[in-house]
Amino acid sequence: MQLTDPHVGADWGYGDPAPRLAAAVGSVRALSPQPDAVLITGDLTDHATDTEYEQLRELLAPLGGPLYVLPGNHDDRGALRRHFGVPGAGGEPVQYAVDLGPLRLVVVDTTRPGEDPGALDAERLGWLDDELATAPKNPTLLAMHHPPLSTGVPAWDEIGLPDADRQALGEVVARHPHVRRIV
């Protein structure tokens, strides 16, 4: 199951996002069969405070199963590490891979701390290329926060990956046909 952009702690939009996330969690809990894992693709909180991450953990607790997160432009890498135990240290990009039975999940960090638009620099693309090469026979789901293609929605396209980064990502993915989906 994929969830994205809960923005816990936001004070804009359509009111408190916590009840909407609780409803989404309730919908996931009502599924049969239950998902093997839940992926949350960024903007878990709105201000990246410990209080928001603690509230988020409480809201997600009913899910029970494995939970995989990655940062969005509203998140803090260090806080994600403290609250969700994601690999890495300090402010370095949150990038990891896990095997979920027959499916492999590869998480790549597209955030630029302190900025809304995303990016995939040469170092992150190199990591991704190397990581995808380690299991070429496993169907793979690639997860990131920022849109990796033009959506036609101006607000999304303004913060999506720059054209050069989209092109470079496309070249990496083309070398790895086992990448079945990008979310």
Side-chain angles (χ1 to χ4, degrees), residues 86-124:
V86 294
E92 70 183 29
V94 173
Q95 302 182 147
Y96 59 93
V98 293
D99 291 321
L100 305 172
L103 179 69
R104 189 158 189 256
L105 170 64
V106 177
V107 168
V108 63
D109 188 339
T110 58
T111 63
R112 294 190 285 184
E115 298 183 38
D116 288 335
L120 278 175
D121 57 27
E123 186 175 331
R124 285 185 256 188

Side-chain angles (χ1 to χ4, degrees), residues 22 35 54 56 71 85 91 103 110 118 122 141 144 147 151 163 172 175 179 182:
E54 289 163 8
L56 175 71
L103 179 69
T110 58
L141 174 70
M144 62 188 66
T151 67
D163 289 339
V172 168
R175 289 191 290 275
V179 175
I182 301 175

Side-chain angles (χ1 to χ4, degrees), residues 1-2 28-29 31-40 62-68 98-105 141:
M1 174 65 58
Q2 178 197 6
V28 172
R29 293 279 304 137
L31 293 173
S32 180
Q34 283 288 284
D36 295 320
V38 175
L39 168 67
I40 306 180
L63 293 173
L67 185 63
Y68 301 97
V98 293
D99 291 321
L100 305 172
L103 179 69
R104 189 158 189 256
L105 170 64
L141 174 70

Side-chain angles (χ1 to χ4, degrees), residues 123-146:
E123 186 175 331
R124 285 185 256 188
L125 286 165
W127 175 88
L128 177 61
D129 200 15
D130 292 345
E131 190 61 41
L132 291 173
T134 65
K137 294 183 180 182
N138 296 41
T140 299
L141 174 70
L142 175 57
M144 62 188 66
H145 178 68
H146 292 88

Side-chain angles (χ1 to χ4, degrees), residues 50-82:
D50 286 330
T51 300
E52 288 174 346
Y53 285 108
E54 289 163 8
Q55 181 182 15
L56 175 71
R57 293 289 309 204
E58 289 175 21
L59 290 164
L60 296 173
L63 293 173
L67 185 63
Y68 301 97
V69 300
L70 60 100
N73 46 293
H74 285 258
D75 292 307
D76 177 79
R77 293 168 175 166
L80 279 182
R81 288 191 167 93
R82 282 193 311 277

